[in-house]
Amino acid sequence: QSSASVAIALPGKDKMTLHSRGASQLFKAADITDEMLEGVKLFHFGYPPSMKYLVENEGEELEDLLKNVKSKGITISLDMSLPDLKTFLGHVNWRPILQRILPYVDLFLPSLEESIFFLHREDYVEMVRKAGANNLLDYIDVRGMAEKLADELLEMGGTIVMLKCGHEGMYLRTAEKERWGNMGKAAPNSLNGWYDRKIWQKPVKVKRILSRTGAGDIAIAGFLSSFLHEDNAKTALGIAAWAASICIQSYDTIVPIKRVVKQKRRSRRYFKMKRGLAKVTAIGLCVSMLISLAGCSGGGGSATTDKAAEKAAEAVTDKNIQSEAEGTQEPIELTYWYWEDEQGTIENMLKDKWEAYAGDRIKVNFESVPSSSFHDKLITAISTGTGPDVFICKPMWAPELYG
């Protein structure tokens, strides 16, 4: 029979799961055939601690499975689960198993509680005893423990360790650049913003938590999706936190995510993006050029500002851009974030000139952000998909923003 689980979510309580292990107890390496792996870039495998056959003999079968997948040049991500301490699986010594399998794992994605259990079972049992029916994480130094265990896990192999830490968020630890060479087909084209990182991601605040069921899985899905879309590490963590925040506000683990994605796809900004990245990029560069040259002109540089506006307008009225813009019912709309300078705001300097040249075909919404909070607000906005179309950026932010 198939494996099956029933998750019981009560208001104000953590989830309870009724699980029938079924056929998962006989799952073996040969069940993943070479035919199944054709064309695969990322192989995500979940919950081996609940699969008896895989973990017997110090994980020999699990090692065979991962070794075969890795031999195809496929990137491997591994999610874990916490077995019942009273069962056979709850007494398995996981340290030698991890030492055996982690050299084949590129992204290791357990929770903090699971990591404590795998590496320090006796300590974990004592922590559970002291916490009783309460949350174990309330009784430990979460940050100190997560950082220590992430380093310990990374030493065993792999490239990325992400620990889910409940109310403290998530902690990401990545290997040095030299370790990324064997990551496989899903490895980022650019490693900037990924190697040798130590990043904490706070949870996204929500008005009400209905159920935590599936939040960890949804967070991992968000992280892996961002990873596959060539985002950098900090952005991927932000997407993971955002996805989890949507999940915990509903008893359903999937529908709310689908709804938000659907709304984003229907949004005006989404369709602007679909009309052509080249168009948005060209217009964004025009706005940037206009603002950059005007900023250099100073208080008495109106001639330079006028010239910049003319050049920007000429680029904007390029035949391809113009025809596409005129074919839409609504004007193209862009958001530009900036911080104020000593000569006055960019909005006051340029808004009238831009509108005079671009007319009503292209509207730029200038938004002033205090310089003291600009960096953090920008990173958060981009991580959650609500960032501006164009923005001022200090050179040292580039690796963090663009990965």
Side-chain angles (χ1 to χ4, degrees):
Q1 68 187 58
S2 299
S3 301
S5 297
V6 176
I8 302 175
L10 300 175
K13 302 288 185 180
D14 204 356
K15 72 170 181 177
M16 294 180 287
T17 303
L18 304 178
H19 182 58
S20 173
R21 297 187 178 93
S24 69
Q25 300 306 286
L26 301 176
F27 191 90
K28 55 187 181 296
D31 290 329
I32 302 296
T33 65
D34 289 349
E35 184 180 1
M36 293 178 182
L37 299 174
E38 291 180 5
V40 173
K41 290 176 59 177
L42 177 76
F43 178 81
H44 181 66
F45 193 71
Y47 308 157
S50 66
M51 301 178 181
K52 183 178 179 180
Y53 191 77
L54 286 182
V55 302
E56 289 179 327
N57 301 317
E58 293 191 344
E60 181 179 355
E61 192 72 14
L62 180 57
E63 180 188 19
D64 288 344
L65 188 158
L66 298 176
K67 186 176 182 179
N68 180 57
V69 173
K70 196 63 183 172
S71 70
K72 315 296 182 188
I74 297 171
T75 302
I76 296 176
S77 63
L78 185 63
D79 187 19
M80 305 296 276
S81 59
L82 197 60
D84 187 334
L85 294 178
K86 299 177 182 178
T87 65
F88 162 79
L89 292 168
H91 287 84
V92 170
N93 182 4
W94 268 91
R95 181 176 286 275
I97 297 179
L98 291 178
Q99 291 172 334
R100 191 169 190 165
I101 67 171
L102 286 184
Y104 304 104
V105 176
D106 302 293
L107 300 98
F108 190 50
L109 312 168
S111 70
L112 178 57
E113 298 100 312
E114 291 161 358
S115 300
I116 300 172
F117 169 78
F118 298 143
L119 298 176
H120 305 282
R121 186 184 184 282
E122 292 183 2
D123 292 342
Y124 175 80
V125 172
E126 179 62 19
M127 292 174 185
V128 170
R129 186 189 66 80
K130 289 182 178 180
N134 300 313
N135 189 343
L136 182 149
L137 298 184
D138 293 333
Y139 293 83
I140 64 173
D141 173 13
V142 172
R143 294 204 166 211
M145 181 70 73
E147 291 170 7
K148 174 179 177 292
L149 295 183
D151 285 342
E152 198 171 346
L153 290 166
L154 207 58
E155 288 177 2
M156 294 181 179
T159 310
I160 295 174
V161 173
M162 186 184 80
L163 301 181
K164 297 160 287 184
C165 302
H167 55 75
E168 286 290 334
M170 290 170 283
Y171 177 64
L172 184 76
R173 181 74 172 94
T174 66
E176 296 180 353
K177 192 173 184 178
E178 294 72 22
R179 291 263 293 275
W180 287 73
N182 191 41
M183 187 168 220
K185 298 176 183 178
N189 290 323
S190 172
L191 298 183
N192 292 331
W194 272 107
Y195 62 84
D196 198 21
R197 301 304 304 272
K198 302 175 182 179
I199 308 174
W200 274 99
Q201 171 67 50
K202 295 180 179 179
V204 175
K205 293 183 179 180
V206 298
K207 292 182 179 180
R208 183 175 61 165
I209 297 176
L210 291 182
S211 171
R212 294 182 175 87
T213 300
D217 295 324
I218 294 295
I220 288 176
F223 182 82
L224 292 178
S225 175
S226 187
F227 175 80
L228 291 172
H229 281 81
E230 296 287 332
D231 293 328
N232 62 35
K234 194 160 188 177
T235 299
L237 273 181
I239 295 295
W242 168 81
S245 73
I246 300 297
C247 175
I248 63 178
Q249 295 179 75
S250 170
Y251 290 114
D252 190 302
T253 60
I254 301 298
V255 172
I257 300 292
K258 288 183 176 179
R259 187 182 303 125
V260 171
V261 170
K262 188 175 182 179
Q263 289 172 349
K264 282 183 176 291
R265 287 176 176 171
R266 286 180 173 176
S267 70
R268 186 167 30 174
R269 178 169 297 182
Y270 176 84
F271 283 109
K272 283 180 228 158
M273 292 171 63
K274 292 293 284 185
R275 285 199 296 265
L277 179 60
K279 176 187 65 180
V280 174
T281 301
I283 297 171
L285 288 173
C286 293
V287 181
S288 297
M289 177 181 69
L290 178 60
I291 291 172
S292 176
L293 292 177
C296 293
S297 68
S302 59
T304 305
T305 304
D306 290 342
K307 190 172 183 180
E310 287 181 14
K311 289 183 177 294
E314 289 174 3
V316 168
T317 54
D318 173 88
K319 184 176 181 180
N320 293 331
I321 296 176
Q322 182 181 13
S323 62
E324 192 164 1
E326 291 175 347
T328 61
Q329 294 181 353
E330 297 178 330
I332 297 172
E333 188 172 339
L334 300 174
T335 300
Y336 191 104
W337 280 16
Y338 64 93
W339 57 80
E340 295 182 356
D341 59 25
E342 295 178 355
Q343 301 172 357
T345 66
I346 291 176
E347 180 176 3
N348 291 335
M349 293 171 63
L350 298 176
K351 184 176 181 181
D352 292 341
K353 293 183 179 299
W354 174 263
E355 291 180 351
Y357 287 105
D360 59 359
R361 290 177 295 104
I362 301 167
K363 179 180 179 183
V364 180
N365 297 316
F366 295 93
E367 295 185 14
S368 173
V369 179
S371 58
S372 60
S373 60
F374 192 96
H375 171 270
D376 291 344
K377 185 174 180 180
L378 179 63
I379 295 298
T380 301
I382 291 176
S383 297
T384 55
T386 59
D389 300 293
V390 189
F391 53 87
I392 291 175
C393 174
K394 293 184 177 180
M396 68 281 289
W397 298 353
E400 186 178 7
L401 288 167
Y402 303 113

PDB file of all heavy atoms in Angstrom, residues 31-60:
ATOM      1  N   ASP A  31      14.681   1.671  -7.214  1.00  0.00           N
ATOM      2  CA  ASP A  31      13.380   2.237  -7.571  1.00  0.00           C
ATOM      3  C   ASP A  31      13.520   3.540  -8.357  1.00  0.00           C
ATOM      4  O   ASP A  31      12.559   3.991  -8.997  1.00  0.00           O
ATOM      5  CB  ASP A  31      12.544   2.481  -6.308  1.00  0.00           C
ATOM      6  CG  ASP A  31      12.090   1.173  -5.666  1.00  0.00           C
ATOM      7  OD1 ASP A  31      11.886   0.202  -6.404  1.00  0.00           O
ATOM      8  OD2 ASP A  31      11.966   1.129  -4.427  1.00  0.00           O
ATOM      9  N   ILE A  32      14.684   4.171  -8.279  1.00  0.00           N
ATOM     10  CA  ILE A  32      14.960   5.358  -9.098  1.00  0.00           C
ATOM     11  C   ILE A  32      15.794   4.894 -10.288  1.00  0.00           C
ATOM     12  O   ILE A  32      16.994   4.654 -10.169  1.00  0.00           O
ATOM     13  CB  ILE A  32      15.721   6.435  -8.304  1.00  0.00           C
ATOM     14  CG1 ILE A  32      14.932   6.847  -7.060  1.00  0.00           C
ATOM     15  CG2 ILE A  32      16.005   7.651  -9.187  1.00  0.00           C
ATOM     16  CD1 ILE A  32      13.605   7.518  -7.360  1.00  0.00           C
ATOM     17  N   THR A  33      15.158   4.750 -11.425  1.00  0.00           N
ATOM     18  CA  THR A  33      15.834   4.203 -12.602  1.00  0.00           C
ATOM     19  C   THR A  33      16.562   5.302 -13.387  1.00  0.00           C
ATOM     20  O   THR A  33      16.253   6.495 -13.260  1.00  0.00           O
ATOM     21  CB  THR A  33      14.821   3.523 -13.535  1.00  0.00           C
ATOM     22  OG1 THR A  33      13.920   4.509 -14.052  1.00  0.00           O
ATOM     23  CG2 THR A  33      14.022   2.469 -12.776  1.00  0.00           C
ATOM     24  N   ASP A  34      17.489   4.872 -14.219  1.00  0.00           N
ATOM     25  CA  ASP A  34      18.216   5.826 -15.055  1.00  0.00           C
ATOM     26  C   ASP A  34      17.270   6.559 -16.011  1.00  0.00           C
ATOM     27  O   ASP A  34      17.480   7.730 -16.336  1.00  0.00           O
ATOM     28  CB  ASP A  34      19.302   5.111 -15.857  1.00  0.00           C
ATOM     29  CG  ASP A  34      20.457   4.634 -14.985  1.00  0.00           C
ATOM     30  OD1 ASP A  34      20.511   5.043 -13.803  1.00  0.00           O
ATOM     31  OD2 ASP A  34      21.299   3.860 -15.476  1.00  0.00           O
ATOM     32  N   GLU A  35      16.233   5.861 -16.450  1.00  0.00           N
ATOM     33  CA  GLU A  35      15.253   6.476 -17.345  1.00  0.00           C
ATOM     34  C   GLU A  35      14.560   7.653 -16.660  1.00  0.00           C
ATOM     35  O   GLU A  35      14.296   8.691 -17.285  1.00  0.00           O
ATOM     36  CB  GLU A  35      14.218   5.439 -17.785  1.00  0.00           C
ATOM     37  CG  GLU A  35      13.210   5.970 -18.795  1.00  0.00           C
ATOM     38  CD  GLU A  35      12.203   4.910 -19.198  1.00  0.00           C
ATOM     39  OE1 GLU A  35      12.270   3.779 -18.680  1.00  0.00           O
ATOM     40  OE2 GLU A  35      11.356   5.222 -20.060  1.00  0.00           O
ATOM     41  N   MET A  36      14.263   7.495 -15.370  1.00  0.00           N
ATOM     42  CA  MET A  36      13.622   8.575 -14.615  1.00  0.00           C
ATOM     43  C   MET A  36      14.510   9.813 -14.521  1.00  0.00           C
ATOM     44  O   MET A  36      14.025  10.945 -14.402  1.00  0.00           O
ATOM     45  CB  MET A  36      13.286   8.103 -13.198  1.00  0.00           C
ATOM     46  CG  MET A  36      12.238   7.042 -13.103  1.00  0.00           C
ATOM     47  SD  MET A  36      12.009   6.547 -11.356  1.00  0.00           S
ATOM     48  CE  MET A  36      10.781   5.268 -11.522  1.00  0.00           C
ATOM     49  N   LEU A  37      15.813   9.616 -14.565  1.00  0.00           N
ATOM     50  CA  LEU A  37      16.758  10.705 -14.343  1.00  0.00           C
ATOM     51  C   LEU A  37      17.147  11.435 -15.633  1.00  0.00           C
ATOM     52  O   LEU A  37      17.879  12.430 -15.569  1.00  0.00           O
ATOM     53  CB  LEU A  37      18.025  10.169 -13.672  1.00  0.00           C
ATOM     54  CG  LEU A  37      17.817   9.531 -12.286  1.00  0.00           C
ATOM     55  CD1 LEU A  37      19.117   8.916 -11.794  1.00  0.00           C
ATOM     56  CD2 LEU A  37      17.303  10.566 -11.293  1.00  0.00           C
ATOM     57  N   GLU A  38      16.659  10.972 -16.768  1.00  0.00           N
ATOM     58  CA  GLU A  38      16.992  11.626 -18.029  1.00  0.00           C
ATOM     59  C   GLU A  38      16.434  13.050 -18.069  1.00  0.00           C
ATOM     60  O   GLU A  38      15.263  13.278 -17.809  1.00  0.00           O
ATOM     61  CB  GLU A  38      16.434  10.819 -19.204  1.00  0.00           C
ATOM     62  CG  GLU A  38      17.131   9.486 -19.422  1.00  0.00           C
ATOM     63  CD  GLU A  38      16.556   8.712 -20.599  1.00  0.00           C
ATOM     64  OE1 GLU A  38      15.675   9.279 -21.294  1.00  0.00           O
ATOM     65  OE2 GLU A  38      16.976   7.554 -20.825  1.00  0.00           O
ATOM     66  N   GLY A  39      17.301  13.997 -18.374  1.00  0.00           N
ATOM     67  CA  GLY A  39      16.893  15.400 -18.477  1.00  0.00           C
ATOM     68  C   GLY A  39      16.721  16.113 -17.158  1.00  0.00           C
ATOM     69  O   GLY A  39      16.309  17.280 -17.129  1.00  0.00           O
ATOM     70  N   VAL A  40      17.035  15.459 -16.040  1.00  0.00           N
ATOM     71  CA  VAL A  40      16.856  16.060 -14.712  1.00  0.00           C
ATOM     72  C   VAL A  40      18.058  16.926 -14.357  1.00  0.00           C
ATOM     73  O   VAL A  40      19.204  16.503 -14.493  1.00  0.00           O
ATOM     74  CB  VAL A  40      16.652  14.961 -13.639  1.00  0.00           C
ATOM     75  CG1 VAL A  40      16.626  15.566 -12.247  1.00  0.00           C
ATOM     76  CG2 VAL A  40      15.371  14.188 -13.915  1.00  0.00           C
ATOM     77  N   LYS A  41      17.790  18.137 -13.862  1.00  0.00           N
ATOM     78  CA  LYS A  41      18.858  19.024 -13.391  1.00  0.00           C
ATOM     79  C   LYS A  41      18.996  18.960 -11.872  1.00  0.00           C
ATOM     80  O   LYS A  41      20.101  18.972 -11.331  1.00  0.00           O
ATOM     81  CB  LYS A  41      18.567  20.466 -13.803  1.00  0.00           C
ATOM     82  CG  LYS A  41      18.677  20.746 -15.281  1.00  0.00           C
ATOM     83  CD  LYS A  41      18.268  22.164 -15.600  1.00  0.00           C
ATOM     84  CE  LYS A  41      19.105  23.193 -14.871  1.00  0.00           C
ATOM     85  NZ  LYS A  41      18.724  24.574 -15.248  1.00  0.00           N
ATOM     86  N   LEU A  42      17.840  18.914 -11.196  1.00  0.00           N
ATOM     87  CA  LEU A  42      17.829  18.909  -9.729  1.00  0.00           C
ATOM     88  C   LEU A  42      17.010  17.732  -9.230  1.00  0.00           C
ATOM     89  O   LEU A  42      15.856  17.559  -9.634  1.00  0.00           O
ATOM     90  CB  LEU A  42      17.238  20.211  -9.191  1.00  0.00           C
ATOM     91  CG  LEU A  42      17.107  20.295  -7.665  1.00  0.00           C
ATOM     92  CD1 LEU A  42      18.472  20.551  -7.030  1.00  0.00           C
ATOM     93  CD2 LEU A  42      16.132  21.397  -7.250  1.00  0.00           C
ATOM     94  N   PHE A  43      17.594  16.926  -8.369  1.00  0.00           N
ATOM     95  CA  PHE A  43      16.908  15.779  -7.770  1.00  0.00           C
ATOM     96  C   PHE A  43      16.673  16.099  -6.301  1.00  0.00           C
ATOM     97  O   PHE A  43      17.613  16.228  -5.514  1.00  0.00           O
ATOM     98  CB  PHE A  43      17.784  14.533  -7.898  1.00  0.00           C
ATOM     99  CG  PHE A  43      17.212  13.287  -7.263  1.00  0.00           C
ATOM    100  CD1 PHE A  43      16.258  12.526  -7.918  1.00  0.00           C
ATOM    101  CD2 PHE A  43      17.644  12.869  -6.009  1.00  0.00           C
ATOM    102  CE1 PHE A  43      15.735  11.380  -7.333  1.00  0.00           C
ATOM    103  CE2 PHE A  43      17.135  11.731  -5.420  1.00  0.00           C
ATOM    104  CZ  PHE A  43      16.168  10.975  -6.088  1.00  0.00           C
ATOM    105  N   HIS A  44      15.393  16.267  -5.937  1.00  0.00           N
ATOM    106  CA  HIS A  44      15.042  16.573  -4.549  1.00  0.00           C
ATOM    107  C   HIS A  44      14.456  15.333  -3.899  1.00  0.00           C
ATOM    108  O   HIS A  44      13.462  14.776  -4.373  1.00  0.00           O
ATOM    109  CB  HIS A  44      14.030  17.722  -4.484  1.00  0.00           C
ATOM    110  CG  HIS A  44      13.651  18.090  -3.078  1.00  0.00           C
ATOM    111  ND1 HIS A  44      14.550  18.637  -2.184  1.00  0.00           N
ATOM    112  CD2 HIS A  44      12.472  17.978  -2.409  1.00  0.00           C
ATOM    113  CE1 HIS A  44      13.945  18.853  -1.027  1.00  0.00           C
ATOM    114  NE2 HIS A  44      12.688  18.450  -1.142  1.00  0.00           N
ATOM    115  N   PHE A  45      15.073  14.903  -2.797  1.00  0.00           N
ATOM    116  CA  PHE A  45      14.634  13.689  -2.114  1.00  0.00           C
ATOM    117  C   PHE A  45      14.283  14.033  -0.676  1.00  0.00           C
ATOM    118  O   PHE A  45      15.014  14.771  -0.002  1.00  0.00           O
ATOM    119  CB  PHE A  45      15.750  12.638  -2.148  1.00  0.00           C
ATOM    120  CG  PHE A  45      15.295  11.259  -1.748  1.00  0.00           C
ATOM    121  CD1 PHE A  45      14.480  10.513  -2.585  1.00  0.00           C
ATOM    122  CD2 PHE A  45      15.679  10.710  -0.533  1.00  0.00           C
ATOM    123  CE1 PHE A  45      14.049   9.240  -2.223  1.00  0.00           C
ATOM    124  CE2 PHE A  45      15.258   9.440  -0.166  1.00  0.00           C
ATOM    125  CZ  PHE A  45      14.440   8.709  -1.013  1.00  0.00           C
ATOM    126  N   GLY A  46      13.144  13.493  -0.203  1.00  0.00           N
ATOM    127  CA  GLY A  46      12.676  13.867   1.118  1.00  0.00           C
ATOM    128  C   GLY A  46      12.427  12.711   2.063  1.00  0.00           C
ATOM    129  O   GLY A  46      12.023  11.618   1.646  1.00  0.00           O
ATOM    130  N   TYR A  47      12.713  12.946   3.326  1.00  0.00           N
ATOM    131  CA  TYR A  47      12.318  12.099   4.458  1.00  0.00           C
ATOM    132  C   TYR A  47      12.963  10.717   4.528  1.00  0.00           C
ATOM    133  O   TYR A  47      12.306   9.745   4.919  1.00  0.00           O
ATOM    134  CB  TYR A  47      10.809  11.933   4.497  1.00  0.00           C
ATOM    135  CG  TYR A  47      10.026  13.222   4.455  1.00  0.00           C
ATOM    136  CD1 TYR A  47       8.713  13.243   4.028  1.00  0.00           C
ATOM    137  CD2 TYR A  47      10.614  14.419   4.852  1.00  0.00           C
ATOM    138  CE1 TYR A  47       7.989  14.429   3.994  1.00  0.00           C
ATOM    139  CE2 TYR A  47       9.901  15.604   4.826  1.00  0.00           C
ATOM    140  CZ  TYR A  47       8.585  15.608   4.388  1.00  0.00           C
ATOM    141  OH  TYR A  47       7.886  16.779   4.351  1.00  0.00           O
ATOM    142  N   PRO A  48      14.232  10.567   4.187  1.00  0.00           N
ATOM    143  CA  PRO A  48      14.853   9.245   4.343  1.00  0.00           C
ATOM    144  C   PRO A  48      14.855   8.706   5.775  1.00  0.00           C
ATOM    145  O   PRO A  48      14.853   7.478   5.946  1.00  0.00           O
ATOM    146  CB  PRO A  48      16.287   9.460   3.830  1.00  0.00           C
ATOM    147  CG  PRO A  48      16.515  10.924   3.884  1.00  0.00           C
ATOM    148  CD  PRO A  48      15.190  11.555   3.618  1.00  0.00           C
ATOM    149  N   PRO A  49      14.816   9.567   6.832  1.00  0.00           N
ATOM    150  CA  PRO A  49      14.762   9.002   8.190  1.00  0.00           C
ATOM    151  C   PRO A  49      13.500   8.190   8.466  1.00  0.00           C
ATOM    152  O   PRO A  49      13.430   7.475   9.476  1.00  0.00           O
ATOM    153  CB  PRO A  49      14.824  10.241   9.093  1.00  0.00           C
ATOM    154  CG  PRO A  49      15.564  11.253   8.290  1.00  0.00           C
ATOM    155  CD  PRO A  49      15.061  11.029   6.888  1.00  0.00           C
ATOM    156  N   SER A  50      12.495   8.300   7.596  1.00  0.00           N
ATOM    157  CA  SER A  50      11.273   7.513   7.794  1.00  0.00           C
ATOM    158  C   SER A  50      11.249   6.255   6.919  1.00  0.00           C
ATOM    159  O   SER A  50      10.263   5.522   6.909  1.00  0.00           O
ATOM    160  CB  SER A  50      10.038   8.371   7.475  1.00  0.00           C
ATOM    161  OG  SER A  50      10.004   8.702   6.095  1.00  0.00           O
ATOM    162  N   MET A  51      12.354   5.993   6.188  1.00  0.00           N
ATOM    163  CA  MET A  51      12.409   4.863   5.262  1.00  0.00           C
ATOM    164  C   MET A  51      13.396   3.807   5.783  1.00  0.00           C
ATOM    165  O   MET A  51      14.614   3.962   5.626  1.00  0.00           O
ATOM    166  CB  MET A  51      12.806   5.350   3.869  1.00  0.00           C
ATOM    167  CG  MET A  51      11.842   6.369   3.301  1.00  0.00           C
ATOM    168  SD  MET A  51      12.360   6.974   1.672  1.00  0.00           S
ATOM    169  CE  MET A  51      11.064   8.158   1.327  1.00  0.00           C
ATOM    170  N   LYS A  52      12.855   2.771   6.356  1.00  0.00           N
ATOM    171  CA  LYS A  52      13.666   1.781   7.066  1.00  0.00           C
ATOM    172  C   LYS A  52      14.741   1.139   6.187  1.00  0.00           C
ATOM    173  O   LYS A  52      15.913   1.047   6.582  1.00  0.00           O
ATOM    174  CB  LYS A  52      12.746   0.705   7.647  1.00  0.00           C
ATOM    175  CG  LYS A  52      13.477  -0.342   8.478  1.00  0.00           C
ATOM    176  CD  LYS A  52      12.490  -1.347   9.068  1.00  0.00           C
ATOM    177  CE  LYS A  52      13.235  -2.405   9.872  1.00  0.00           C
ATOM    178  NZ  LYS A  52      12.288  -3.409  10.453  1.00  0.00           N
ATOM    179  N   TYR A  53      14.372   0.704   4.994  1.00  0.00           N
ATOM    180  CA  TYR A  53      15.310  -0.040   4.151  1.00  0.00           C
ATOM    181  C   TYR A  53      16.501   0.833   3.738  1.00  0.00           C
ATOM    182  O   TYR A  53      17.629   0.350   3.609  1.00  0.00           O
ATOM    183  CB  TYR A  53      14.591  -0.557   2.904  1.00  0.00           C
ATOM    184  CG  TYR A  53      15.385  -1.558   2.105  1.00  0.00           C
ATOM    185  CD1 TYR A  53      15.511  -2.880   2.528  1.00  0.00           C
ATOM    186  CD2 TYR A  53      16.024  -1.182   0.928  1.00  0.00           C
ATOM    187  CE1 TYR A  53      16.255  -3.801   1.805  1.00  0.00           C
ATOM    188  CE2 TYR A  53      16.768  -2.095   0.189  1.00  0.00           C
ATOM    189  CZ  TYR A  53      16.881  -3.407   0.638  1.00  0.00           C
ATOM    190  OH  TYR A  53      17.622  -4.315  -0.083  1.00  0.00           O
ATOM    191  N   LEU A  54      16.248   2.132   3.547  1.00  0.00           N
ATOM    192  CA  LEU A  54      17.308   3.026   3.103  1.00  0.00           C
ATOM    193  C   LEU A  54      18.364   3.274   4.179  1.00  0.00           C
ATOM    194  O   LEU A  54      19.528   3.519   3.861  1.00  0.00           O
ATOM    195  CB  LEU A  54      16.724   4.370   2.658  1.00  0.00           C
ATOM    196  CG  LEU A  54      15.986   4.420   1.327  1.00  0.00           C
ATOM    197  CD1 LEU A  54      15.534   5.839   1.030  1.00  0.00           C
ATOM    198  CD2 LEU A  54      16.851   3.897   0.183  1.00  0.00           C
ATOM    199  N   VAL A  55      17.954   3.244   5.455  1.00  0.00           N
ATOM    200  CA  VAL A  55      18.891   3.636   6.507  1.00  0.00           C
ATOM    201  C   VAL A  55      19.527   2.446   7.235  1.00  0.00           C
ATOM    202  O   VAL A  55      20.414   2.639   8.071  1.00  0.00           O
ATOM    203  CB  VAL A  55      18.199   4.562   7.533  1.00  0.00           C
ATOM    204  CG1 VAL A  55      17.643   5.795   6.835  1.00  0.00           C
ATOM    205  CG2 VAL A  55      17.082   3.836   8.279  1.00  0.00           C
ATOM    206  N   GLU A  56      19.073   1.253   6.930  1.00  0.00           N
ATOM    207  CA  GLU A  56      19.714   0.083   7.538  1.00  0.00           C
ATOM    208  C   GLU A  56      21.157  -0.036   7.050  1.00  0.00           C
ATOM    209  O   GLU A  56      21.521   0.487   5.998  1.00  0.00           O
ATOM    210  CB  GLU A  56      18.925  -1.183   7.195  1.00  0.00           C
ATOM    211  CG  GLU A  56      17.580  -1.272   7.900  1.00  0.00           C
ATOM    212  CD  GLU A  56      16.807  -2.530   7.528  1.00  0.00           C
ATOM    213  OE1 GLU A  56      16.947  -2.987   6.374  1.00  0.00           O
ATOM    214  OE2 GLU A  56      16.052  -3.039   8.382  1.00  0.00           O
ATOM    215  N   ASN A  57      21.976  -0.740   7.842  1.00  0.00           N
ATOM    216  CA  ASN A  57      23.392  -0.942   7.487  1.00  0.00           C
ATOM    217  C   ASN A  57      24.116   0.398   7.270  1.00  0.00           C
ATOM    218  O   ASN A  57      24.849   0.589   6.294  1.00  0.00           O
ATOM    219  CB  ASN A  57      23.522  -1.808   6.229  1.00  0.00           C
ATOM    220  CG  ASN A  57      22.870  -3.171   6.397  1.00  0.00           C
ATOM    221  OD1 ASN A  57      23.018  -3.825   7.436  1.00  0.00           O
ATOM    222  ND2 ASN A  57      22.127  -3.592   5.377  1.00  0.00           N
ATOM    223  N   GLU A  58      23.861   1.309   8.206  1.00  0.00           N
ATOM    224  CA  GLU A  58      24.489   2.633   8.185  1.00  0.00           C
ATOM    225  C   GLU A  58      24.258   3.370   6.862  1.00  0.00           C
ATOM    226  O   GLU A  58      25.126   4.052   6.338  1.00  0.00           O
ATOM    227  CB  GLU A  58      25.986   2.537   8.486  1.00  0.00           C
ATOM    228  CG  GLU A  58      26.285   2.089   9.907  1.00  0.00           C
ATOM    229  CD  GLU A  58      27.745   2.250  10.274  1.00  0.00           C
ATOM    230  OE1 GLU A  58      28.580   2.425   9.359  1.00  0.00           O
ATOM    231  OE2 GLU A  58      28.060   2.216  11.483  1.00  0.00           O
ATOM    232  N   GLY A  59      23.051   3.222   6.334  1.00  0.00           N
ATOM    233  CA  GLY A  59      22.656   3.993   5.154  1.00  0.00           C
ATOM    234  C   GLY A  59      23.264   3.533   3.855  1.00  0.00           C
ATOM    235  O   GLY A  59      23.348   4.326   2.892  1.00  0.00           O
ATOM    236  N   GLU A  60      23.633   2.284   3.767  1.00  0.00           N
ATOM    237  CA  GLU A  60      24.278   1.778   2.554  1.00  0.00           C
ATOM    238  C   GLU A  60      23.401   1.962   1.319  1.00  0.00           C
ATOM    239  O   GLU A  60      23.862   2.378   0.243  1.00  0.00           O
ATOM    240  CB  GLU A  60      24.636   0.304   2.726  1.00  0.00           C
ATOM    241  CG  GLU A  60      25.327  -0.312   1.520  1.00  0.00           C
ATOM    242  CD  GLU A  60      25.682  -1.773   1.743  1.00  0.00           C
ATOM    243  OE1 GLU A  60      25.488  -2.284   2.872  1.00  0.00           O
ATOM    244  OE2 GLU A  60      26.153  -2.410   0.777  1.00  0.00           O
TER     245      GLU A  60
END
